[in-house]
Amino acid sequence: MTTYDDYGVPVGAYSEPEGLMHQAWRVARAFYLYRIRPLVGRGFNGLKRGDWSFKRLFTLVNALVLLWWAVLYWGERGIFNGAINTCDWDTWEKWEAGANPHRLIFVADPQLIDPHTYPGRPWPLNPLAYKYTDLYLRRTYSRLQTTLYPDTIFFLGDLFDGGREWATRTSVSPEKQYRKYGDRFWINEYRRFGNIFFKHWGDGGLDPRPGQPGRKLISSLPGNHDLGFGKGVQVGVRNRFNAYFGDGNRIDVIANHTFVSIDSVSLSAVGQEASEEVEHLWRPTTDFLENAKKQKRRLIQRELRRQQGLTPYPGFPHRDIEGEALVKAELPHSNDEVAEFPSILLSHVPLFRAPGTPCGPLREHWPPTKPPVGQAPFEKDDRNAISVSGGYQYQNVLNKEITTDIANKVGDIRYAFSGDDHDYCEVLHRGYASGGGGIREITVKSTSWAMGVRYPGIVMVSLWNPVDAHGKPLSGKADRTIQTNLCLFPDQIGTFLRYGSLFGLTFSLLFIRAFLVAVGIIKPPPTPTEIPLLPTTNTLSNEKAAQKFEDSPSPTDHTHSSNSSTASERGNLQARSKQKYTYPLVQHAGYNPPVNEDQDHHTRKQVKIYGGVSTKPEKPRKKRKGLALFEYELRTSLGMVVVLGGVIYLWLVWRDSS
């Protein structure tokens, strides 16, 4: 018996609608029952479950995709990690037990490429060159921090390629084609340099290693591409560089060694024609050299006081200083007698040497000429040497007079490090004043793969010089305080060539495969069955429904009485209620099943009029043969390899681009 509430509504006739979570659960359940489970039962791609095998899984296309993934990871990650790992300090340092050396790295000629590097190159070659050279520098430099974690990094000049060309407010480029690039362009290049080197300085951390005073990055040494050379240096350009990077002439005491940096490109204006007219260019460096020995001594005294826990500067004397004397007044310093620390000279341009002086076996471009069997290496080897020559805004080595003057005024030089040449060169200069048996100079390779060397690199320096309170070496060996190692970076051009070779191999294999499929030697893979997103009734059930509709009385048939009509409808409802559906009724909504070719004309007409179903049968797909099959197989298989390989490649590049 039906009961009613106070409003006359049958009790239980209405209920609260389902919540959103419950509806989502029902949709997910229906998706599994009517989409996932039928697929699993039939097998993917129209294959039965029993058709799956290792042969279908390990196809040529899948094997090539895996091969590309492995090669791309190797080329974009593996070779960089491997190259830096082989340079680990512990693999080449040979100090006494218990030593805690200071670890330093020299980086030379990153020379960020810009419109000055490849003038006239069409788009998009230049943007791609910028992208890949910056990416290479960022990858190698970041791994230097995370893997090697140096205490100090020195840059040896040529930070930019066209830095000297970009105008300032007081200067313009000497070349007309670059005058449209102004100060704003240089600022953007400075920001670009910072995003590569300053931003990633802390990738491995910022804390000093145990026993070390701290970490330091020094990038103030200018190169000829930063300022110009000799008389070509413009004061405005130099002032801008010094404002952002620091003075090119400086002295740093690091690990009980004295590093003397000199602006050799400005100093080279001495001795050039009409040098008196450009005295403002070379005068700052000559003044710096005049006071170099005195300044070294003061800095050594301050460092020793710091090591003993004293203040670097003694107290100021309380006395009056006249106005004229105030100009020349100096900061107080102790008068303790101290020993010299080994001096290390830093110059962008290498020191003078006789033409043909060999650079040694580590030079990449031209290894030493092999002497006849039983004879010593040649003392003069032009192909293995740095050319003693010069040109517009450059000079391969300093003048002999300038080199001699530097050696005499700095004094006690044991090592010198330079850049500019882009390749490695190691020379022992015995003809200049030094702190021992001569000045051993190492010209550091460029760190960029766009500077004419296949294997860029850096020079690693390990410093260990324990001293007493007066600066004397405790080991008694002042000439054995430095160890060096050449660290080579990957061959980026070689990596691109390997990618090209692999693509050629991939295309050849897929070409052969497509040909074999086209001629019938290899069976083509089965065509995936088209399955709608939601399951529908099959063709057989639709045919039965159409036949049942045809046998039922027409709405226009007046031979049936109302009673028989009612009875017929009741019977149809009963039969319909007893019908068992394998899918929900909603699955039939809007579905237009194909009609078989053997269906009679009357049924096709009725279905068209009353069922809303298209009478056009589904046309079977044409089977590809011959050239069409060959083109289809080659295009689809190659496209799959390229797309899947390209996704991994873009991901690897994107990860290193920030």
Side-chain angles (χ1 to χ4, degrees):
M1 182 177 179
T2 304
T3 58
Y4 299 88
D5 59 16
D6 296 339
Y7 298 95
V9 178
V11 176
Y14 299 99
S15 60
E16 291 293 329
E18 295 179 347
L20 183 61
M21 293 298 296
H22 188 72
Q23 295 181 36
W25 177 84
R26 287 172 59 86
V27 172
R29 181 175 179 274
F31 186 79
Y32 167 75
L33 292 176
Y34 306 124
R35 179 65 173 134
I36 302 299
R37 193 165 67 176
L39 277 178
V40 174
R42 299 178 57 189
F44 292 96
N45 294 334
L47 299 175
K48 296 180 180 179
R49 187 180 301 174
D51 290 340
W52 285 99
S53 64
F54 286 104
K55 292 183 178 180
R56 294 190 181 276
L57 181 62
F58 293 103
T59 62
L60 176 61
V61 175
N62 292 343
L64 288 174
V65 170
L66 293 177
L67 177 61
W68 268 102
W69 286 355
V71 171
L72 288 173
Y73 186 85
W74 165 83
E76 304 301 316
R77 291 287 191 278
I79 57 173
F80 288 92
N81 297 333
I84 303 301
N85 288 334
T86 58
C87 300
D88 189 70
W89 304 91
D90 295 333
T91 61
W92 57 271
E93 283 181 327
K94 297 179 181 179
W95 298 110
E96 60 190 51
N100 182 21
H102 188 92
R103 292 167 171 174
L104 181 147
I105 285 178
F106 285 112
V107 177
D109 300 88
Q111 211 160 322
L112 302 186
I113 64 173
D114 48 38
H116 175 268
T117 311
Y118 306 112
R121 265 194 180 183
W123 185 92
L125 294 182
N126 259 346
L128 286 175
Y130 301 163
K131 172 68 177 179
Y132 279 99
T133 53
D134 289 4
L135 181 64
Y136 185 93
L137 291 170
R138 187 179 296 109
R139 282 175 169 171
T140 53
Y141 183 78
S142 177
R143 283 162 177 78
L144 293 182
Q145 310 304 325
T146 57
T147 303
L148 301 181
Y149 199 67
D151 302 309
T152 302
I153 285 185
F154 271 102
F155 285 80
L156 296 178
D158 274 0
L159 310 184
F160 310 104
D161 187 64
R164 66 194 180 202
E165 306 294 346
W166 319 136
T168 67
R169 288 176 293 179
T170 59
S171 64
V172 295
S173 172
E175 296 191 50
K176 184 178 180 180
Q177 58 180 326
Y178 300 123
R179 290 177 183 173
K180 61 181 178 180
Y181 300 99
D183 198 48
R184 185 183 299 274
F185 186 86
W186 189 93
I187 295 298
N188 290 332
E189 293 296 286
Y190 173 79
R191 186 180 296 111
R192 179 180 160 202
F193 181 90
N195 287 335
I196 297 174
F197 297 107
F198 298 154
K199 179 180 178 180
H200 293 277
W201 164 247
D203 283 359
L206 295 174
D207 297 330
R209 291 190 306 112
Q212 301 298 329
R215 303 189 69 211
K216 184 180 294 186
L217 186 153
I218 302 172
S219 56
S220 59
L221 192 70
N224 60 300
H225 280 266
D226 299 317
L227 306 185
F229 186 84
K231 294 191 301 181
V233 175
Q234 299 188 70
V235 175
V237 172
R238 186 174 65 185
N239 290 342
R240 178 179 61 189
F241 185 91
N242 292 348
Y244 282 86
F245 291 101
D247 195 343
N249 301 304
R250 59 182 293 161
I251 299 177
D252 297 274
V253 176
I254 300 174
N256 297 335
H257 292 77
T258 308
F259 289 78
V260 181
S261 304
I262 59 170
D263 179 4
S264 56
V265 294
S266 297
L267 181 62
S268 295
V270 174
Q272 291 189 346
E273 184 179 352
S275 62
E276 297 298 328
E277 299 178 4
V278 291
E279 182 178 354
H280 59 283
L281 297 179
W282 51 262
R283 176 59 66 182
T285 306
T286 56
D287 290 345
F288 168 79
L289 289 173
E290 291 293 337
N291 297 316
K293 289 183 179 180
K294 184 187 297 185
Q295 184 67 11
K296 282 199 308 177
R297 185 180 182 83
R298 292 177 180 176
L299 293 176
I300 292 172
Q301 291 172 343
R302 294 170 189 172
E303 175 63 17
L304 291 175
R305 289 177 61 87
R306 186 194 65 79
Q307 293 179 8
Q308 298 170 38
L310 304 175
T311 58
Y313 299 92
F316 286 87
H318 294 277
R319 59 186 179 86
D320 295 333
I321 301 178
E322 299 296 334
E324 296 180 357
L326 184 62
V327 178
K328 300 181 179 180
E330 298 177 349
L331 290 175
H333 59 278
S334 61
N335 294 316
D336 301 333
E337 291 295 327
V338 295
E340 287 276 349
F341 286 166
S343 295
I344 300 174
L345 177 68
L346 306 183
S347 166
H348 175 70
V349 184
L351 303 179
F352 179 83
R353 74 284 313 274
T357 303
C359 285
L362 297 181
R363 190 165 177 81
E364 176 183 325
H365 277 159
W366 300 106
T369 303
K370 292 183 179 181
V373 179
Q375 293 187 13
F378 295 108
E379 294 184 0
K380 183 177 180 180
D381 189 354
D382 290 329
R383 67 191 298 270
N384 183 242
I386 293 179
S387 174
V388 181
S389 60
Y392 172 72
Q393 295 282 39
Y394 80 93
Q395 190 169 294
N396 292 337
V397 297
L398 295 174
N399 294 339
K400 185 176 182 178
E401 295 76 16
I402 292 178
T403 303
T404 302
D405 191 53
I406 293 173
N408 292 334
K409 291 181 177 179
V410 173
D412 194 34
I413 300 176
R414 297 181 182 271
Y415 267 83
F417 293 90
S418 56
D420 185 68
D421 187 65
H422 297 174
D423 204 352
Y424 187 87
C425 182
E426 187 169 350
V427 174
L428 179 60
H429 301 281
R430 299 185 183 274
Y432 305 115
S434 64
I439 302 174
R440 183 170 297 276
E441 180 185 7
I442 294 178
T443 300
V444 182
K445 299 191 77 168
S446 172
T447 190
S448 172
W449 67 275
M451 293 297 112
V453 287
R454 293 286 293 270
Y455 293 92
I458 57 172
V459 167
M460 306 167 64
V461 180
S462 182
L463 306 169
W464 176 241
N465 182 31
V467 298
D468 60 15
H470 299 285
K472 294 182 180 180
L474 295 177
S475 62
K477 299 177 180 179
D479 58 338
R480 299 183 182 179
T481 62
I482 298 176
Q483 295 178 12
T484 64
N485 177 62
L486 171 62
C487 179
L488 295 178
F489 293 162
D491 177 11
Q492 184 64 57
I493 296 177
T495 299
F496 288 152
L497 293 177
R498 290 184 181 92
Y499 289 166
S501 300
L502 181 57
F503 181 82
L505 175 63
T506 300
F507 184 84
S508 300
L509 292 176
L510 295 180
F511 185 92
I512 296 173
R513 173 189 173 275
F515 174 77
L516 296 178
V517 170
V519 299
I521 297 178
I522 296 179
K523 184 179 179 181
T527 304
T529 304
E530 292 186 358
I531 304 176
L533 178 62
L534 293 176
T536 59
T537 57
N538 56 33
T539 305
L540 182 59
S541 62
N542 282 283
E543 291 177 359
K544 291 181 179 180
Q547 183 65 32
K548 182 178 179 180
F549 176 82
E550 184 185 46
D551 295 339
S552 64
S554 172
T556 59
D557 190 352
H558 301 286
T559 60
H560 298 282
S561 64
S562 60
N563 293 334
S564 61
S565 175
T566 304
S568 176
E569 291 177 0
R570 186 180 300 111
N572 289 338
L573 289 173
Q574 293 175 356
R576 193 178 307 163
S577 64
K578 293 179 181 180
Q579 184 179 359
K580 184 177 181 180
Y581 281 89
T582 58
Y583 302 105
L585 289 175
V586 70
Q587 305 302 330
H588 300 286
Y591 176 64
N592 299 328
V595 182
N596 292 340
E597 287 290 343
D598 56 353
Q599 192 175 15
D600 59 71
H601 176 74
H602 179 70
T603 302
R604 293 159 64 99
K605 182 177 180 180
Q606 294 294 331
V607 171
K608 179 179 181 180
I609 297 176
Y610 301 108
V613 182
S614 174
T615 60
K616 294 183 180 180
E618 183 180 4
K619 294 183 180 180
R621 292 185 176 181
K622 293 183 180 180
K623 191 174 182 181
R624 297 181 179 88
K625 295 182 180 179
L627 185 60
L629 180 59
F630 168 81
E631 185 272 337
Y632 173 79
E633 288 294 330
L634 180 61
R635 173 170 48 84
T636 55
S637 59
L638 185 61
M640 179 177 293
V641 174
V642 171
V643 170
L644 294 180
V647 169
I648 294 297
Y649 179 74
L650 292 177
W651 180 80
L652 291 172
V653 170
W654 174 79
R655 290 279 295 177
D656 279 342
S657 296
S658 58

